[in-house]
Amino acid sequence: MEDYYRFHSPATLPGRLSPGREWVEFDLGGEYRGDWAGWITCALAFIPDRMRYYYDKGVSGFICGIRGYAMGPNTTFIGDHAVLKGLQSIKYDIYFKTLWDMNISLADVWRMCKRRGFSDQMLEFFQLSEKVAEQAHYANECIVNNFHSSFIGSIERYEWQLEYVDHIYNTVGIERKWILEPSEHNLALIIDEKEQAVQNVLRMSEILEQCKHELIEEDYTSLRKCMDYQIQVVKVFKVHTEMFFRYRLFMMTKLENRHKLLVDSMRRCEEEVVRLRLYDEVQAKHAYALISDIKWRLSCDMQKYYHELAYHGVCKVAE
């Protein structure tokens, strides 16, 4: 089952392969990519790379899982046929064309299958969507954020999510785990990656405006609505992830500046969540839950919780 676990490029399959007997299912609307939350997300490099990797390993067939969800906030199920013919159909085109020719290039698929009114510049738009999803959700290709592209609402749930890198078969994930260790250096790298996601999603918006007059009006309207929403979600992901890691740093060493940095990140996160409410109340509610959890913890006498937090790896008890 290939469900966009992006621990490595390409990732290893759990367990062992039996050449000529294995099949792989590709879920092109993977929950780790934003599809279920209504994002524009087309993994145009990831899909063929993964397919070639499995094919070289002796995989004998591929199955495509199709989930027909609409783009934009408050996404709903619209039917499988609708997405095959929809604005993000290029990700299905690259999958099906690669089935017939493992060496086909993305440029050739785009030339044969691009949607009416889409200029070649829109290819960059969809390629950037892949980067945005990875940079917003992951930290150096380690899963950090939640299933279905929603926000984690508690410290415990965040810690549980980070356990994915300890999967017994995932040696590459374990190798990447260093970036999840709380340190100012690692946090700076994580924040920088989230800022790259913000810049890339803004670039997508810029490309969309440049192509506005070539696009069919209905297509432009749908993409514009989705982009406005996605930009804000990515901004929340940046400060939401920073806030969690700043909390971990503060609990490890209660330095005054770390408390100040944590409170500042909470304030910035709250501001971005308020803006997100204009697009999606449910996502905003999920995002605010972690702020509430941290506020509660900071207001309590945390000494009695230290043994539990240490168990979860959130803090280290002083000797």
Side-chain angles (χ1 to χ4, degrees), residues 129-289:
S129 75
E130 180 172 16
K131 291 184 178 180
V132 169
E134 292 185 1
Q135 292 165 343
H137 283 96
Y138 309 151
N140 190 37
E141 300 182 3
C142 278
I143 292 175
V144 171
N145 292 298
N146 205 13
F147 299 116
H148 308 152
S149 309
S150 60
F151 296 97
I152 294 174
S154 70
I155 296 297
E156 283 84 359
R157 181 63 175 78
Y158 238 122
E159 288 291 328
W160 180 85
Q161 185 75 14
L162 299 189
E163 293 300 314
Y164 271 79
V165 295
D166 289 325
H167 193 289
I168 188 170
Y169 293 112
N170 193 356
T171 56
V172 180
I174 295 171
E175 289 171 6
R176 292 183 182 279
K177 189 180 179 182
W178 63 268
I179 199 169
L180 304 180
E181 294 301 319
S183 73
E184 295 291 349
H185 174 72
N186 291 348
L187 178 56
L189 295 176
I190 291 170
I191 294 173
D192 182 64
E193 186 173 38
K194 306 308 171 196
E195 177 58 29
Q196 290 175 37
V198 173
Q199 295 306 314
N200 281 330
V201 79
L202 292 175
R203 173 59 182 156
M204 287 175 67
S205 179
E206 181 183 319
I207 292 171
L208 181 60
E209 291 306 310
Q210 291 171 356
C211 298
K212 177 179 180 179
H213 298 296
E214 299 176 20
L215 292 168
I216 298 169
E217 184 176 355
E218 183 181 352
D219 287 354
Y220 169 77
T221 302
S222 297
L223 290 170
R224 182 69 268 166
K225 181 180 179 182
C226 187
M227 283 308 308
D228 292 342
Y229 163 66
Q230 187 171 345
I231 288 169
Q232 189 55 39
V233 174
V234 173
K235 287 181 177 180
V236 174
F237 265 118
K238 177 186 174 182
V239 287
H240 196 271
T241 308
E242 176 189 352
M243 182 176 64
F244 166 69
F245 279 94
R246 288 210 179 280
Y247 177 79
R248 295 180 85 203
L249 279 171
F250 174 64
M251 294 308 296
M252 286 183 66
T253 307
K254 286 195 170 184
L255 300 177
E256 183 62 31
N257 69 317
R258 286 187 172 174
H259 179 269
K260 181 179 179 181
L261 290 169
L262 170 60
V263 172
D264 177 65
S265 68
M266 292 171 66
R267 176 187 56 78
R268 287 184 282 111
C269 188
E270 200 161 353
E271 290 172 355
E272 296 295 351
V273 169
V274 168
R275 297 185 183 101
L276 181 59
R277 284 200 180 101
L278 301 175
Y279 302 99
D280 192 330
E281 282 279 355
V282 174
Q283 285 279 44
K285 182 180 179 181
H286 290 164
Y288 194 83

Side-chain angles (χ1 to χ4, degrees), residues 79-141:
D80 299 338
H81 186 262
V83 296
L84 288 174
K85 294 291 185 180
L87 291 167
Q88 300 188 84
S89 58
I90 186 64
K91 64 183 174 184
Y92 297 99
D93 295 327
I94 189 69
Y95 170 81
F96 290 118
K97 292 293 184 183
T98 304
L99 285 178
W100 289 102
D101 179 4
M102 281 287 171
N103 296 314
I104 196 167
S105 69
L106 175 57
D108 286 338
V109 176
W110 179 259
R111 177 178 50 81
M112 290 185 285
C113 303
K114 67 179 180 180
R115 190 176 176 89
R116 183 166 63 92
F118 278 21
S119 67
D120 288 341
Q121 196 174 9
M122 286 298 292
L123 177 57
E124 181 188 354
F125 175 90
F126 289 120
Q127 287 176 303
L128 282 171
S129 75
E130 180 172 16
K131 291 184 178 180
V132 169
E134 292 185 1
Q135 292 165 343
H137 283 96
Y138 309 151
N140 190 37
E141 300 182 3

